[in-house]
Amino acid sequence: MRKQSLSARTRVAALCLALIALALPWAAARAQAQIPTSSGDNDTFVEATVNNVNPSQGDQLTYVFRYYQAVDALQLPGMLVGQPDYEAPEFSNFWAEGEIEQSSTQTQLNGRTYNVSELRTHIFPTTAGTITIEPARLILHGFPGEPDRVLETLPVTIAARALPAGAPASFNGAIGDYRLTANVDRTTATPTEPITLQLRLAGEGNVRMAPSPVLPDLPGWRVQERSNEVQIDVIDGRVQGTRTIDLLLLPSDDATSLTLPPIEYAFFNPATSTYLSALSNPIEITLLDGAGAPVAAVAPSAKALVDPAAAAGAVQAAPAAAAEAQSVADAAPVATPAYTIMAAPATLPIAARLVESPWFWALWLLPLFALIAGWLGLRTARTAAARQSERKRTHAASDALHDLRSAPDSAAAQKVLDDYLARALGRPVGGLTRTGRAALLTEKGVPEALQARVEECYTMGERARYSPTENVADTAAPERDQRMHSAVETVIRELDPLLRMPDSNRVAAVPTTVGAQSATANAGGAQ
Amino acid sequence: MTPAMVTAAPAQGMRKKLLLALVVLLLIAAPLAALGALALQQRPGNAATTSASTTMQAANALFTTGQYDLAAQAYAQLVAQGHGGRALLHNLGVAQLEAGNAAAAVGALSAAQRAYPRDVNIRSALADAERLARSTAAPLVAPEGAEAGAEPLTAVTPFDEQSPAAAPGRLAQVRLEWLSGTELAIIALLLWTACAAMLLLAITAAPNSGRRQGAIVAAMLLAAVLVVALWLLTI
């Protein structure tokens, strides 16, 4: 039996050792995994790269954000915690174009298999020099009540090369590889029928940033822009697009037939690092007068034309210096703007709408709180005052009877009665006339018989106070004081339950109480 | 008079004063906090906004070299990134206007006017943009029988119908022209604070006293103005 037990224990130990031996390489592989990120762990991490760290200014870059999830790691189900949120960098000093492209793959990294989600953003550096792309963030949501986990990439720094010298004069900042075509809806115009000239600038590059082609002067013709639309596509990871400009050519009184000269469009091609020019095709336009006869053509402004021989090829590669020399005369003057712009402030404020801030609406609760606090405070103060007044009334009788015991004479006993009535009625009674006192006592439901006895006490007290006792031995004084004390005590004892009664009960209680008190008073008087 | 009665009255008075101080503090705190929040929101930015300022300078340079489309796109990108300010909004609208994008100019300048309604530059540019939009919103047709040299283009759609200035009511128009949403929001908060103060006064005043009735009337008037202000905020 013991031998069998040992054997079983040995087998369990061997199994454990085997499991540990199997797990060690796996754990070691996990520990060796490199994390190309500033936050994350071996199971989940993020990284950011660009496809070119030394582009030309205005050249296209692809910013790639990757999210790695180990296949064998424990993942919270997306149905419960939601999908992670991607916060792209701000891309300051870049122009971001097109939608963010997304794809998913699997990859092996240090012996582990990872699911990789990739987000690609197409950006164009707008300035030359060292530019840093701030970290991108991925927010992984936890279960409700648990904090979110934020993964952050390292910043990516690129060195954008400035455009080389030798740009042609007609170069307006377009970077890419473009073709320019010109078409008209008809080649014959009348004084009342404008011609629509459509210019199409198409090619690879940031067409949205590329300035519009400049039409040369057309003497006698007014040019009005009808539309200027840009369409962007991303094909095989490269941003391409077309800018379509519709222009109305309106003949004036002195307009003549003309040949629309080739329009030159200079651009910098980052692939070849050279300045090139695209030339549109020339177009003959015939203007008919009112009788239908063509109006003779007059040579347009010399500066508006380029050598027609140059129009042989739609796009010509030109050495920069030559292009510059050729284009000096072609450069269209920059129109003076009708409006003055405001200078850029040192720091741009963040646009903020106060009404969209929850904190602003939270402030609306402060006056409400003040109102509630004021109301509650007032109520509390009133309750406290009422309670204090009630306390005074409650203890008025016992305090008065206590004071009465130490009152030396009738005058002091009357003072005790005064104080008692003041406290019990909640107002001073010392200066009141007999009528005033009676009114107050009647208001409190004190029966007339009892009122009469109160007044009798006052009469006794006044008689004692004002009797001529000076230099005359008043042998009746002790007896009179005794009677006064006794009367005051009786009156206070009988008044007390009446004056302590709440006002709400008084109306219903008065008849009964009056009757009872009258009976008591009569009985007291009889005794 | 017992010692308890002697000390109760000053204690109660002190409590009343403390309560009054609390209420006054709360009433003052609301508008002050709103102004503070506004100042905080419009604080000068960090490094990101400094680089945004550089981008705006570049956009200004594009504008001065006549590349209005490009300048407008750069301004628009800054706005899309959450930046604001009088200069940026004005320049965006003006660049759109110079580029001939009438509808976009009206949109941008209307937004600028809503944020800075009393700015004469923005107002004048918006009027120009609306005029341009009126002339280009409708299909351009040459009137029959027009003589050579006469203005061949006419616009048939009144743009005012699409303008925010056509919001119902003269009051709404005045608000759009003179008060920004933020200013109106602060005014509404002040009205609400004053209304609460009047209600508090009415609660604390003696029943049937003239002070109480006056406070109630004032609170009702303030509440009515507050309702109007809140309605204007939704425009």
Side-chain angles (χ1 to χ4, degrees):
Chain A
M1 187 70 180
R2 181 181 169 80
K3 190 178 177 182
Q4 280 177 353
S5 170
L6 277 175
S7 172
R9 215 177 286 167
T10 309
R11 275 202 298 272
V12 170
L15 185 61
C16 288
L17 282 174
L19 284 174
I20 291 169
L22 282 172
L24 272 176
W26 176 79
R30 287 187 61 162
Q32 284 171 357
Q34 297 295 312
I35 306 167
T37 177
S38 57
S39 64
D41 54 29
N42 290 333
D43 292 339
T44 52
F45 58 89
V46 292
E47 69 169 1
T49 59
V50 290
N51 64 338
N52 183 1
V53 292
N54 189 24
S56 293
Q57 175 188 345
D59 194 6
Q60 180 190 334
L61 295 179
T62 302
Y63 176 84
V64 184
F65 171 87
R66 294 193 189 91
Y67 171 41
Y68 291 82
Q69 290 173 286
V71 172
D72 54 0
L74 178 64
Q75 301 291 336
L76 295 177
M79 278 177 63
L80 291 180
V81 297
Q83 292 299 314
D85 287 335
Y86 171 61
E87 284 184 6
E90 193 172 333
F91 293 124
S92 300
N93 296 316
F94 287 92
W95 184 286
E97 190 55 83
E99 298 291 322
I100 295 176
E101 295 178 344
Q102 187 169 1
S103 64
S104 298
T105 55
Q106 270 198 346
T107 189
Q108 291 285 326
L109 198 62
N110 295 320
R112 275 185 100 183
T113 307
Y114 287 87
N115 287 327
V116 184
S117 302
E118 192 171 286
L119 302 174
R120 290 178 297 280
T121 310
H122 304 294
I123 54 176
F124 299 82
T126 54
T127 58
T130 303
I131 313 174
T132 300
I133 304 173
E134 297 302 313
R137 286 152 47 98
L138 189 75
I139 300 167
L140 304 172
H141 300 293
F143 282 117
E146 287 186 355
D148 294 342
R149 187 171 166 225
V150 179
L151 302 180
E152 199 171 84
T153 67
L154 294 170
V156 177
T157 302
I158 69 152
R161 286 178 280 124
L163 298 182
S170 59
F171 177 68
N172 270 341
I175 297 168
D177 188 10
Y178 299 110
R179 295 165 303 285
L180 181 64
T181 56
N183 289 295
V184 288
D185 59 345
R186 61 179 179 278
T187 55
T188 305
T190 65
T192 57
E193 291 175 325
I195 288 178
T196 300
L197 168 67
Q198 186 176 72
L199 301 177
R200 280 171 60 86
L201 179 71
E204 189 174 287
N206 192 351
V207 182
R208 207 183 298 280
M209 271 184 77
S212 299
V214 179
L215 200 65
D217 283 341
L218 304 175
W221 292 73
R222 285 190 294 133
V223 180
Q224 186 164 15
E225 187 174 296
R226 282 294 307 273
S227 64
N228 190 335
E229 293 172 354
V230 173
Q231 184 180 349
I232 300 288
D233 295 306
V234 179
I235 300 171
D236 295 333
R238 301 295 297 173
V239 175
Q240 304 184 359
T242 305
R243 179 184 286 276
T244 307
I245 305 157
D246 284 344
L247 301 166
L248 281 179
L249 304 184
L250 305 157
S252 302
D253 284 344
D254 54 347
T256 61
S257 300
L258 59 79
T259 300
L260 191 68
I263 303 163
E264 183 186 9
Y265 190 79
F267 58 89
F268 176 75
N269 187 338
T272 58
S273 291
T274 52
Y275 290 98
L276 304 173
S277 288
L279 291 172
S280 67
N281 43 305
I283 298 172
E284 295 284 347
I285 294 175
T286 305
L287 178 66
L288 303 177
D289 60 15
V295 180
V298 176
S301 162
K303 79 169 187 177
L305 296 174
V306 296
D307 181 3
V315 177
Q316 286 186 343
E324 183 179 11
Q326 188 180 13
S327 306
V328 167
D330 304 340
V334 174
T336 307
Y339 299 92
T340 309
I341 52 171
M342 297 183 188
T347 51
L348 271 184
I350 303 295
R353 290 196 67 204
L354 198 61
V355 289
E356 288 171 0
S357 164
W359 291 107
F360 170 72
W361 294 108
L363 285 176
W364 283 65
L365 295 176
L366 282 183
L368 189 66
F369 287 155
L371 202 57
I372 293 171
W375 178 70
L376 282 178
L378 192 72
R379 197 177 147 190
T380 310
R382 280 181 181 159
T383 308
R387 199 172 293 146
Q388 195 174 1
S389 169
E390 179 61 26
R391 211 170 117 248
K392 277 187 198 172
R393 280 202 308 215
T394 306
H395 296 282
S398 57
D399 289 347
L401 293 176
H402 178 266
D403 292 345
L404 188 63
R405 275 194 281 277
S406 54
D409 52 19
S410 297
Q414 185 193 349
K415 177 75 171 56
V416 168
L417 181 60
D418 255 352
D419 288 346
Y420 166 73
L421 285 176
R423 285 177 64 177
L425 294 172
R427 53 166 298 176
V429 295
L432 288 181
T433 60
R434 178 186 179 125
T435 317
R437 269 196 302 271
L440 272 179
L441 292 173
T442 305
E443 190 183 318
K444 295 289 181 184
V446 177
E448 284 180 9
L450 188 52
Q451 288 181 30
R453 289 167 55 207
V454 171
E455 289 310 320
E456 189 182 337
C457 289
Y458 272 99
T459 309
M460 287 166 67
E462 280 159 16
R463 196 179 296 150
R465 282 164 69 187
Y466 301 114
S467 61
T469 57
E470 204 174 338
N471 302 326
V472 178
D474 187 1
T475 54
E479 188 188 348
R480 196 174 57 229
D481 289 343
Q482 181 61 35
R483 264 208 324 273
M484 175 70 176
H485 276 70
S486 175
V488 168
E489 182 178 346
T490 309
V491 160
I492 288 174
R493 285 188 191 283
E494 291 178 12
L495 278 174
D496 189 44
L498 285 174
L499 298 186
R500 281 172 60 179
M501 188 182 295
D503 289 342
S504 54
N505 296 346
R506 198 179 304 283
V507 175
V510 163
T512 320
T513 311
V514 168
Q517 293 302 320
S518 301
T520 311
N522 291 339
Q527 285 170 2
Chain B
M1 189 176 278
T2 60
M5 288 171 65
V6 173
T7 54
Q12 195 175 335
M14 181 65 75
R15 213 177 304 148
K16 265 188 181 175
K17 280 180 186 169
L18 280 175
L19 181 70
L20 187 68
L22 170 73
V23 167
V24 169
L25 271 179
L26 283 173
L27 289 176
I28 292 174
L32 278 184
L35 291 172
L38 182 66
L40 210 62
Q41 283 183 323
Q42 293 187 339
R43 67 195 181 281
N46 47 24
T49 53
T50 307
S51 74
S53 176
T54 310
T55 306
M56 187 174 165
Q57 285 168 5
N60 282 1
L62 289 171
F63 183 94
T64 50
T65 54
Q67 301 176 66
Y68 306 122
D69 257 334
L70 196 58
Q73 285 159 19
Y75 292 132
Q77 194 175 35
L78 286 172
V79 171
Q81 284 171 0
H83 297 292
R86 185 190 305 265
L88 177 61
L89 298 176
H90 168 266
N91 291 2
L92 169 60
V94 163
Q96 296 281 21
L97 192 54
E98 290 282 11
N101 306 326
V106 170
L109 288 166
S110 297
Q113 199 195 20
R114 277 196 292 278
Y116 303 97
R118 296 178 298 280
D119 188 300
V120 287
N121 293 325
I122 292 174
R123 190 177 292 183
S124 125
L126 177 59
D128 291 348
E130 285 175 348
R131 269 196 295 277
L132 181 66
R134 266 195 292 272
S135 64
T136 57
L140 299 173
V141 292
E144 288 182 12
E147 294 183 6
E151 177 56 58
L153 304 175
T154 55
V156 294
T157 305
F159 191 80
D160 276 348
E161 289 174 11
Q162 303 160 21
S163 161
R170 173 79 185 144
L171 192 61
Q173 193 175 347
V174 170
R175 168 261 190 267
L176 286 173
E177 287 175 1
W178 291 102
L179 281 177
S180 71
T182 299
E183 290 163 346
L184 190 60
I186 290 178
I187 288 174
L189 180 58
L190 287 172
L191 282 170
W192 165 229
T193 307
C195 186
M198 286 300 113
L199 285 175
L200 201 60
L201 196 63
I203 289 172
T204 53
N208 300 324
S209 66
R211 204 168 90 173
R212 180 177 201 152
Q213 285 169 0
I216 288 173
V217 170
M220 286 170 69
L221 285 175
L222 286 167
V225 180
L226 175 63
V227 169
V228 174
L230 288 174
W231 169 68
L232 289 174
L233 255 184
T234 62
I235 293 172

